[in-house]
Amino acid sequence: MHKNIITIVGLICVTFMAVSQPVAKKKLSTDDFAAWNIIPNQSISNNGKIVVYEQNPLKGDGTLIITDADDSKTIARGYDAKIGSENDVVVFKIKQPVDTLRKAKQDKVDEKKMPKDSLGIYLLKHNELETFPKLKSFKLAEENASWLAFLQEASTAENDTVSDKKKEKQPGDELVLFNIQNQDTLLVHNITEYFWAKKGSALVCVQQNKDSVNTYSTLKWFDVSSAKVLDIYTTEGWIKKATLDELGEQCVFLLSKDTVDEKVYSVFYTTKDESSREIITTTTKGMPVGWSPSEFGKISFSENGSKFYIGTAVAPVEEPKDTLLDEDKPKVDVWNWKDLKLQPQQLLEAKKEKERSYLAVYHIAKNSFMQLADFSIPNVSTIEKGNGQIAFGSSNLPYLRASSWTGENFKDYYLIDQETGIKREILKNKANVRLSPKGNYVVWWEPQDSSYYSVSTDINNMEYVALTKKIPVSFYDERNDRPMNATPYGFAGWSEDDRYIFVYDRYDIWRLDLSNEKVPVCVTKAFGRRNKTRLRYVKLDRELDYVPTTETIVLSAIDERTMSGGFFETKLNSIKDPGLLIMDKYIFNNVKKAKDADKLIWTKENVKSFPDVWSSNLQFEQVKKLSDANPQQNDFVWPTVELVEWTSFTGEKLKGLLYKPENYSTDYKYPMIVYFYELSSETMHSHAYPKPSHSTINKSFYASNGYLVFVPDITYKTGYPGESAYNAIVSGTQFLVDKYEYIDRFKIGLQGQSWGGYQTAWLVTQTDMYAAAMAGAPVSNMTSAYGGIRWGSGMSRMFQYEHTQSRIGGSLWDKPLLYIENSPVFHAPKVNTPLLMMHNDGDGAVPWYQGIEMFVALRRLDKPVWLLNYNGEEHNLPVKSWANRMDLSNRMFQFFNHYLKNEPAPEWMEKGIPAIEKGKNLGY
């Protein structure tokens, strides 16, 4: 009996110990990536009561989540949601299940016949969901949205007779008008386009019908108050770009009766109650000779409805019939030294240039047309939501050719009178130029003396005013170490009366009097500088074109000492310390305010906290967490992060980040990977959720698997980017291994992509400190890269070396020795570190022959080197390339595990993969 009692007590103790023992956390594996969730497309209703966001796994079917104060609704595969302006409906698209789409692809279903999205309409008042299949698009009015409009793919009856099938297939799709209050619907057939008035009072749409000879178009007008669809104008030809003014009282559209592909359009004007009339043609007074309204230009009304804007261009001409065989035509690109843009850039931009249009205005009451932009001044913008008397023009044409090697974006600037068309040059050869919201002043940054200047637009007062020249703080990037003019910190905005502009220094906000009558004032009272905290205005009302100086505004904040983030509040019409709202060891982002309520949503993140959605009032009180995207994170080993500081080999104080597994022990020796780009310490509180690699290591994944990760800041000396990287990275690595005995100094790796890839390739030519290195898209030979093309943009690479990231500071012929000295391939014989590279043949930023040059050099020298080329892929593997990203993650992990953890080398490292086994044997 006594023995049995002891046995029972023992069992109870063992059971209690088993229950109380914490469950050991798991290491992340690449198999965990697919189920990790992200939360895109967050929005809040105008009354602040409804919040909508998507919760999508990295691979698989996602969900749309609609939350209110008491409940939440989850809708499978919902996305791209819009909340109605009246807070009564959420409208969204519904994707087909991933498995359904996958099956259709396997069955080689034609793209046009692939399963289509559906439309979801969630009626908040009734908590009801309605769905409609075969969605093409949907639109809600910005204001007073009592109806929803959406296009459904036109249905085809399966029981058509033979004679029916001979009928001409009709253009367009089915437009459904859905009443949000009572769910009534109206159906209109053969609709090609539709447009809501901003105020929600009307919608116009274009219906097309055709017979064997002609096409006919009808402009239809849906009047919301009467719930009737009216035929406004029917004609032979093609109507396009039907556009309403904000009140829904006036409509403008394009019409062409040309039957050729290259159609010449006219502009028609109408209202609901009057006949449509042609008002702009090729012969309209003010239209440049040979020009016409462009079908590619945007049409928009001024806010007050007194005028509208269109795009014009050289009238298209029918192409002569091509009678030559393809083999009889030369295929050649002619490069001319006088070209403003290089041929590759011209070819990439050819479609955009063919569709380029030039802004023009039509004054409705005066029946007056005025061309604003032209070949010499191609870029023109308006002010005061289109109501302004003047427009602001610019042209970079005089400086475009030189920008290939300067990298600058200088322009000449013009004031354009919208009534008379008179153009007046106000500034020449400037950048960073702004016109005030009411058009009274032009402000620009002058790099020669690092100051802001202003000039009145009044022709009688054209004196330049130096706004910041005498202020004893810098308004430009103080940490700029590129051989170029430092850029300014930027503008916070303008005062409502156009009198002041608010600009940033490194930490604070200054009020500058554009008339120079009052002295500049630091409206944040140097609070930011005193506390090493950067303050920036958070624009919560996107419709305002000024800063509301009499109202309390929100300022974002970053403490440079701790990298903590948060918010302050202040008023810009007073000079005082901002008031603290919230400050914590997080990065705060995605702040959005409800239009009609003092309610905010935002995200916050740090190393351990995913950027979930939170809500609060404007004081960041009544805080509530709305989402919990990845509760499974608690099951895994996660990193911690530490801000470290050291002195570089040049005596400079530098910062960096050290990531460690949360369960690390000082009794154990850990391998470490050093990852870098330029300055990264301010990302201390960013969250790296597990995902397959685009090109770099995932810090959370590697830390979970027993690695330390070190991310050092790097500063540069012009002409010596390689040496600068060495001085920062190697000094930081040496500092850490000397300070922390738990770092295995013999098991340290390097990893970088692009600029980081170059620095990785350079470092392995200068030191044997690192046991393995992975370089993504590295420049290995600056002498050949200098004269190359950035194929993604078609631009020359010259400016990058002379003035920007590569930091040589001169041309190849001016400083040839620096190009050679900073090129890893010229130091290839000194490499002893095993090197893995990824360089893809579709790379539009760094030509992939740069990776090849390094590979063939090391291969000839019998150095261990591997090159991964993901066929057709870009500089970084895109989101859609899941299989390639998983493959890169696996290979990079295997590579580092072999050299830093003594794991066996996989087949692809030992033997390679012969081309005849490509796609069959991965060699893992």
Side-chain angles (χ1 to χ4, degrees), residues 308-323:
F308 64 84
Y309 300 91
I310 64 167
T312 63
V314 174
V317 178
E318 183 180 2
E319 295 282 346
K321 186 176 181 180
D322 189 354
T323 59

Side-chain angles (χ1 to χ4, degrees), residues 214-432:
N214 297 317
T215 294
Y216 302 90
S217 294
T218 299
L219 178 70
K220 290 178 174 286
W221 191 300
F222 173 59
D223 179 65
V224 169
S225 61
S226 64
K228 291 183 179 179
V229 179
L230 309 173
D231 287 356
I232 297 298
Y233 183 61
T234 299
T235 179
E236 182 181 328
W238 287 262
I239 291 176
K240 295 184 73 171
K241 302 275 185 179
T243 304
L244 289 165
D245 67 355
E246 288 198 4
L247 297 177
E249 297 174 348
Q250 306 174 91
C251 178
V252 169
F253 59 91
L254 301 179
L255 170 63
S256 175
K257 297 184 178 181
D258 294 343
T259 57
V260 297
D261 290 339
E262 297 81 8
K263 293 176 174 56
V264 176
Y265 285 86
S266 298
V267 176
F268 279 66
Y269 172 89
T270 191
T271 68
K272 183 178 64 173
D273 301 317
E274 64 181 79
S275 299
S276 301
R277 55 190 172 92
E278 187 178 48
I279 57 173
I280 307 175
T281 70
T282 56
T283 59
T284 295
K285 182 180 178 181
M287 179 72 70
V289 176
W291 286 35
S292 68
S294 171
E295 63 177 305
F296 302 112
K298 180 183 177 182
I299 298 178
S300 63
F301 278 87
S302 60
E303 184 184 50
N304 61 19
S306 67
K307 52 190 170 182
F308 64 84
Y309 300 91
I310 64 167
T312 63
V314 174
V317 178
E318 183 180 2
E319 295 282 346
K321 186 176 181 180
D322 189 354
T323 59
L324 292 175
L325 295 174
D326 194 55
E327 64 196 55
D328 295 330
K329 292 181 283 188
K331 298 176 180 64
V332 59
D333 301 327
V334 179
W335 297 45
N336 189 300
W337 67 284
K338 296 179 182 179
D339 287 346
L340 297 184
K341 294 181 180 180
L342 292 172
Q343 276 289 313
Q345 187 173 0
Q346 292 184 48
L347 292 169
L348 283 172
E349 298 175 0
K351 183 177 185 295
K352 183 179 76 173
E353 287 302 318
K354 287 178 182 177
E355 296 179 357
R356 179 185 286 274
S357 64
Y358 300 84
L359 191 69
V361 63
Y362 188 86
H363 301 276
I364 297 169
K366 298 179 179 179
N367 294 319
S368 169
F369 171 86
M370 187 58 61
Q371 186 68 44
L372 302 177
D374 53 31
F375 290 149
S376 61
I377 307 176
N379 305 305
V380 175
S381 59
T382 62
I383 58 173
E384 297 184 277
K385 300 179 181 178
N387 296 339
Q389 171 71 19
I390 64 172
F392 198 41
S394 66
S395 174
N396 66 349
L397 297 177
Y399 319 103
L400 190 55
R401 183 172 174 272
S403 67
S404 287
W405 54 87
T406 67
E408 298 285 4
N409 189 28
F410 293 123
K411 298 177 183 178
D412 298 335
Y413 291 86
Y414 301 82
L415 298 175
I416 305 170
D417 190 302
Q418 292 200 34
E419 297 279 353
T420 65
I422 294 174
K423 300 175 175 66
R424 174 162 62 93
E425 185 178 79
I426 194 163
L427 287 175
K428 196 172 184 64
N429 195 18
K430 302 296 181 189
N432 295 302

Side-chain angles (χ1 to χ4, degrees), residues 761-762 764-766 768 780 820 823-833 835 853-864:
W762 168 263
V764 298
T765 70
Q766 303 298 307
D768 295 336
S780 63
I820 294 171
S823 296
V825 74
F826 289 103
H827 308 280
K830 296 187 289 184
V831 174
N832 294 309
T833 304
L835 179 65
E853 287 192 44
M854 193 67 177
F855 178 84
V856 297
L858 295 178
R859 175 177 179 267
R860 173 174 174 169
L861 293 164
D862 280 330
K863 310 286 186 177

Side-chain angles (χ1 to χ4, degrees), residues 652-670:
E652 185 178 4
K653 295 288 186 182
L654 292 177
K655 294 179 181 180
L657 305 174
L658 179 61
Y659 295 84
K660 295 175 283 189
E662 61 184 336
N663 60 354
Y664 89 100
S665 169
T666 56
D667 297 330
Y668 185 75
K669 290 280 190 182
Y670 290 89

Side-chain angles (χ1 to χ4, degrees), residues 759-774:
Q759 293 171 106
T760 300
W762 168 263
L763 285 173
V764 298
T765 70
Q766 303 298 307
T767 178
D768 295 336
M769 173 183 279
Y770 303 98
M774 191 280 175

Side-chain angles (χ1 to χ4, degrees), residues 506-725:
R506 181 170 175 173
Y507 299 106
D508 289 291
I509 303 176
W510 289 75
R511 185 183 69 203
L512 309 177
D513 184 350
L514 299 174
S515 67
N516 204 31
E517 293 179 7
K518 293 185 177 181
V519 297
V521 174
C522 181
V523 291
T524 50
K525 206 177 177 182
F527 176 88
R529 187 166 295 274
R530 283 184 275 121
N531 293 279
K532 295 292 185 288
T533 297
R534 293 203 304 271
L535 302 171
R536 297 296 182 258
Y537 168 56
V538 180
K539 187 173 183 178
L540 297 176
D541 186 343
R542 292 292 158 189
E543 292 193 359
L544 288 183
D545 54 10
Y546 59 88
V547 181
T549 55
T550 59
E551 299 175 17
T552 299
I553 62 170
V554 175
L555 306 177
S556 66
I558 297 176
D559 188 327
E560 292 184 350
R561 299 164 299 184
T562 64
M563 308 306 169
S564 293
F567 298 95
F568 287 75
E569 65 178 4
T570 194
K571 287 185 177 181
L572 296 184
N573 63 351
S574 60
I575 304 168
K576 61 181 181 179
D577 286 355
L580 176 65
L581 294 174
I582 186 172
M583 204 76 184
D584 208 344
K585 294 178 180 179
Y586 292 93
I587 292 175
F588 293 84
N589 263 323
N590 304 308
V591 182
K592 296 177 182 177
K593 179 187 176 297
K595 183 177 180 180
D596 302 321
D598 290 341
K599 196 84 170 181
L600 299 173
I601 57 171
W602 36 273
T603 62
K604 68 174 184 178
E605 63 182 284
N606 63 19
V607 168
K608 288 197 170 184
S609 299
F610 179 86
D612 278 300
V613 185
W614 297 71
S615 67
S616 71
N617 60 20
L618 289 182
Q619 287 72 46
F620 289 85
E621 300 167 337
Q622 302 169 18
V623 173
K624 182 179 180 181
K625 185 179 181 182
L626 302 180
S627 68
D628 188 13
N630 295 296
Q632 78 277 16
Q633 180 183 311
N634 295 325
D635 300 333
F636 296 95
V637 176
W638 213 255
T640 62
V641 65
E642 173 188 347
L643 185 66
V644 296
E645 298 185 51
W646 73 97
T647 302
S648 77
F649 291 150
T650 59
E652 185 178 4
K653 295 288 186 182
L654 292 177
K655 294 179 181 180
L657 305 174
L658 179 61
Y659 295 84
K660 295 175 283 189
E662 61 184 336
N663 60 354
Y664 89 100
S665 169
T666 56
D667 297 330
Y668 185 75
K669 290 280 190 182
Y670 290 89
M672 183 170 74
I673 296 177
V674 185
Y675 167 78
F676 40 81
Y677 195 74
E678 291 191 9
L679 298 177
S680 301
S681 59
E682 289 188 8
T683 66
M684 178 180 180
H685 298 305
S686 65
H687 183 84
Y689 60 84
K691 62 179 179 179
S693 176
H694 297 282
S695 55
T696 63
I697 62 167
N698 183 279
K699 294 184 281 290
S700 297
F701 175 77
Y702 275 81
S704 184
N705 281 276
Y707 283 93
L708 306 177
V709 179
F710 175 45
V711 185
D713 281 350
I714 308 167
T715 57
Y716 300 90
K717 177 182 177 182
T718 297
Y720 302 92
E723 181 183 310
S724 299

